[in-house]
Every structure is written in C-alpha cells, then in structure tokens.
Amino acid sequence: MNIVLLGAPGAGKGTQAQKLIEDYRLTHISTGDLLRQAIKAGTPLGLQAQSYMDSGNLVPDELVVGLLKERLAQSDAQHGFVLDGFPRNTAQAEILDASLAEMGYTLDAALLVDVDHEVIIKRLSNRRACKTCGYTATAEVISCPRCSGEMYQRSDDTPESITQRLAVYTEQTSPLIEYYRTQGKLKSVDGDRPVDEVYAEIKVLLGL
Ligand code: AP5
C-alpha cells in the first residue's frame, strides 16, 4: 500500500505514520526528516534548507524534489510507503504523480488528518522528538521509549514559526485536499481525538 499523509503541521501525520510502519512494515518517507538529516550532516542542501525551515517557510521545490526522488528509488519503497510531508503544493503533487507513474507505483490513498489550528498550536508547543531516531512524543516524555535517546524541541516549534507554518499550509498545501478529492483518492479522519482512536479509524478507512 502506498499512501500520502495530508494535514497541517502538528496534525499528527508523523505520529500516525509511526504506527502504520510498525504494524504493516511500510517505509516511512518524511521530507521533513530527510531535510533535518541533511542539516545535521552539514550538507550544502542542508545549509540552504535551514533558514527556510526555521522561519516556517517551504524549502524550494528544486531542493526537496531531488531528495524525495532519491529516497523513493531505494529498494525498501517497493514494499509500500507512507509519504509524510510531501507533496506540499500543487507543483509537488504533479511531480509526484509523474514520478510514481515512471517508477510503476500507484498511489492508493491520500489521507487527511484533520485538526483545528488552535489545537495544533498547543500540540506543537508541547512536542518533543528523539535526537537519535526521530520518534515523536510530548514534553512529558523524558527519554525516547524506542531507543532511550535524548528528547529535544525542534527549532521550528517556536510561536513565530508555528504561525507561519499554519499560514503556509492554508495558502499552499490545503488546495491538495481538492486535488486528491478530484482524483477520488481523498480519505479524511478527525485527528482531534486520542491517538489510538484516530489510528483505529485510519485502519478502517484504508481497509487494513
Ligand atoms: P515537517 O517535518 O514535515 O513538519 P510539519 O508538516 O510542520 O509537520 P510536523 O512534523 O510538525 O507535524 P505532524 O503532523 O507530523 O505532527 P506530529 O505527529 O509530530 O516539515 C518541517 C519543515 O520542513 C517545513 O516547515 C518545511 O520548511 C520543510 N519541508 C518539509 N517537507 C517539505 C516539502 N515537501 N516541501 C518544502 N518544504 C518542506 O504531532 C505533533 C504533536 O502532537 C506531537 O507532540 C504528538 O505527540 C502530538 N499528537 C499527535 N497526535 C495526537 C493526538 N491525536 N492527540 C494528542 N496529541 C497528539
């Protein structure tokens, strides 16, 4: 199964992706994680991307698309993937459609995790991630339950950046809801419920 996760920053895309990949052995492809890895490794692409990410803006398509295509071409994507954070605008969605067709992949669904922006601001202010494996949790979690790594607060989870990310989502990413509805691929879940309740409905929607 190949799916795209849609939803505002902080809607819970990464949280639900973690559960899907653990239960169904899918490959998690997060462009945000790929960009953060590039920053950590100090690559030229990472250096270019950092200021866009910290300010809550999208990294230019020409930087992100290459990363995505490279990751999709790796062999583990053949067993099914969960795309998290890509596409972010209509141009990226069209590039994705063309790339998947070229590689012989079919997109089964675009799953929207739908959450009000007020809830999101609280969630992102309280989010922590594992420095080692990227596991996502809340500030109450002191060490990573998956690998015991150190938890940290992302540099873009500041009030200014969160506000900008939500504005960018509304303007550039939310039109993708209609894009995938037109393709007959859109499925939507109310993400403002406990994680396991959201996950249970996702499984029903995806026929898992
Ligand atoms: P990215 O890393 O993709 O971040 P994002 O879209 O802003 O999304 P998040 O990872 O912040 O949120 P999420 O929906 O995964 O929520 P999570 O599960 O963590 O992108 C970062 C930046 O990279 C972008 O701003 C951009 O600059 C750049 N970028 C990335 N991709 C790009 C692209 N394609 N093109 C251009 N630029 C790109 O959950 C959030 C919190 O809520 C956690 O603490 C979690 O524990 C909690 N939580 C989750 N679900 C629930 C629930 N049901 N109830 C209560 N709490 C919950």
Side-chain angles (χ1 to χ4, degrees), residues 41 65 78 112-113 133 167:
V65 166
Q78 288 169 11
L112 170 67
V113 183
C133 74

mmCIF file with all atom_site columns, all heavy atoms in Angstrom, residues 41 65 78 112-113 133 167:
data_model
loop_
_atom_site.group_PDB
_atom_site.id
_atom_site.type_symbol
_atom_site.label_atom_id
_atom_site.label_alt_id
_atom_site.label_comp_id
_atom_site.label_asym_id
_atom_site.label_entity_id
_atom_site.label_seq_id
_atom_site.pdbx_PDB_ins_code
_atom_site.Cartn_x
_atom_site.Cartn_y
_atom_site.Cartn_z
_atom_site.occupancy
_atom_site.B_iso_or_equiv
_atom_site.pdbx_formal_charge
_atom_site.auth_seq_id
_atom_site.auth_comp_id
_atom_site.auth_asym_id
_atom_site.auth_atom_id
_atom_site.pdbx_PDB_model_num
ATOM 1  N N   . ALA A 1 41  ? 23.898 16.637 8.953  1.00 0.00 ? 41  ALA A N   1
ATOM 2  C CA  . ALA A 1 41  ? 25.119 16.178 8.279  1.00 0.00 ? 41  ALA A CA  1
ATOM 3  C C   . ALA A 1 41  ? 25.907 17.353 7.693  1.00 0.00 ? 41  ALA A C   1
ATOM 4  O O   . ALA A 1 41  ? 27.022 17.166 7.199  1.00 0.00 ? 41  ALA A O   1
ATOM 5  C CB  . ALA A 1 41  ? 24.753 15.193 7.175  1.00 0.00 ? 41  ALA A CB  1
ATOM 6  N N   . VAL A 1 65  ? 12.536 18.109 -4.156 1.00 0.00 ? 65  VAL A N   1
ATOM 7  C CA  . VAL A 1 65  ? 12.122 17.084 -5.115 1.00 0.00 ? 65  VAL A CA  1
ATOM 8  C C   . VAL A 1 65  ? 13.233 16.053 -5.350 1.00 0.00 ? 65  VAL A C   1
ATOM 9  O O   . VAL A 1 65  ? 12.976 14.842 -5.394 1.00 0.00 ? 65  VAL A O   1
ATOM 10 C CB  . VAL A 1 65  ? 11.679 17.761 -6.440 1.00 0.00 ? 65  VAL A CB  1
ATOM 11 C CG1 . VAL A 1 65  ? 11.566 16.748 -7.569 1.00 0.00 ? 65  VAL A CG1 1
ATOM 12 C CG2 . VAL A 1 65  ? 10.345 18.465 -6.235 1.00 0.00 ? 65  VAL A CG2 1
ATOM 13 N N   . GLN A 1 78  ? 9.635  -0.350 -2.376 1.00 0.00 ? 78  GLN A N   1
ATOM 14 C CA  . GLN A 1 78  ? 8.868  -1.316 -3.183 1.00 0.00 ? 78  GLN A CA  1
ATOM 15 C C   . GLN A 1 78  ? 7.812  -2.057 -2.363 1.00 0.00 ? 78  GLN A C   1
ATOM 16 O O   . GLN A 1 78  ? 6.842  -2.560 -2.899 1.00 0.00 ? 78  GLN A O   1
ATOM 17 C CB  . GLN A 1 78  ? 9.797  -2.379 -3.776 1.00 0.00 ? 78  GLN A CB  1
ATOM 18 C CG  . GLN A 1 78  ? 10.672 -1.849 -4.877 1.00 0.00 ? 78  GLN A CG  1
ATOM 19 C CD  . GLN A 1 78  ? 11.749 -2.860 -5.255 1.00 0.00 ? 78  GLN A CD  1
ATOM 20 O OE1 . GLN A 1 78  ? 11.713 -4.009 -4.836 1.00 0.00 ? 78  GLN A OE1 1
ATOM 21 N NE2 . GLN A 1 78  ? 12.711 -2.411 -6.036 1.00 0.00 ? 78  GLN A NE2 1
ATOM 22 N N   . LEU A 1 112 ? -6.149 12.588 4.854  1.00 0.00 ? 112 LEU A N   1
ATOM 23 C CA  . LEU A 1 112 ? -6.098 13.885 5.539  1.00 0.00 ? 112 LEU A CA  1
ATOM 24 C C   . LEU A 1 112 ? -6.349 13.688 7.029  1.00 0.00 ? 112 LEU A C   1
ATOM 25 O O   . LEU A 1 112 ? -7.401 13.178 7.433  1.00 0.00 ? 112 LEU A O   1
ATOM 26 C CB  . LEU A 1 112 ? -7.168 14.811 4.950  1.00 0.00 ? 112 LEU A CB  1
ATOM 27 C CG  . LEU A 1 112 ? -7.409 16.119 5.692  1.00 0.00 ? 112 LEU A CG  1
ATOM 28 C CD1 . LEU A 1 112 ? -6.189 17.054 5.596  1.00 0.00 ? 112 LEU A CD1 1
ATOM 29 C CD2 . LEU A 1 112 ? -8.647 16.829 5.144  1.00 0.00 ? 112 LEU A CD2 1
ATOM 30 N N   . VAL A 1 113 ? -5.380 14.109 7.861  1.00 0.00 ? 113 VAL A N   1
ATOM 31 C CA  . VAL A 1 113 ? -5.574 14.117 9.312  1.00 0.00 ? 113 VAL A CA  1
ATOM 32 C C   . VAL A 1 113 ? -6.003 15.545 9.656  1.00 0.00 ? 113 VAL A C   1
ATOM 33 O O   . VAL A 1 113 ? -5.218 16.491 9.563  1.00 0.00 ? 113 VAL A O   1
ATOM 34 C CB  . VAL A 1 113 ? -4.283 13.714 10.064 1.00 0.00 ? 113 VAL A CB  1
ATOM 35 C CG1 . VAL A 1 113 ? -4.540 13.649 11.559 1.00 0.00 ? 113 VAL A CG1 1
ATOM 36 C CG2 . VAL A 1 113 ? -3.758 12.380 9.557  1.00 0.00 ? 113 VAL A CG2 1
ATOM 37 N N   . CYS A 1 133 ? 16.529 8.782  16.920 1.00 0.00 ? 133 CYS A N   1
ATOM 38 C CA  . CYS A 1 133 ? 15.720 8.048  15.924 1.00 0.00 ? 133 CYS A CA  1
ATOM 39 C C   . CYS A 1 133 ? 14.545 8.860  15.399 1.00 0.00 ? 133 CYS A C   1
ATOM 40 O O   . CYS A 1 133 ? 13.823 8.386  14.523 1.00 0.00 ? 133 CYS A O   1
ATOM 41 C CB  . CYS A 1 133 ? 15.222 6.721  16.507 1.00 0.00 ? 133 CYS A CB  1
ATOM 42 S SG  . CYS A 1 133 ? 13.887 6.905  17.713 1.00 0.00 ? 133 CYS A SG  1
ATOM 43 N N   . ALA A 1 167 ? 0.081  29.352 8.222  1.00 0.00 ? 167 ALA A N   1
ATOM 44 C CA  . ALA A 1 167 ? -0.316 30.230 7.108  1.00 0.00 ? 167 ALA A CA  1
ATOM 45 C C   . ALA A 1 167 ? 0.095  29.599 5.776  1.00 0.00 ? 167 ALA A C   1
ATOM 46 O O   . ALA A 1 167 ? -0.670 29.589 4.809  1.00 0.00 ? 167 ALA A O   1
ATOM 47 C CB  . ALA A 1 167 ? 0.324  31.611 7.279  1.00 0.00 ? 167 ALA A CB  1
#
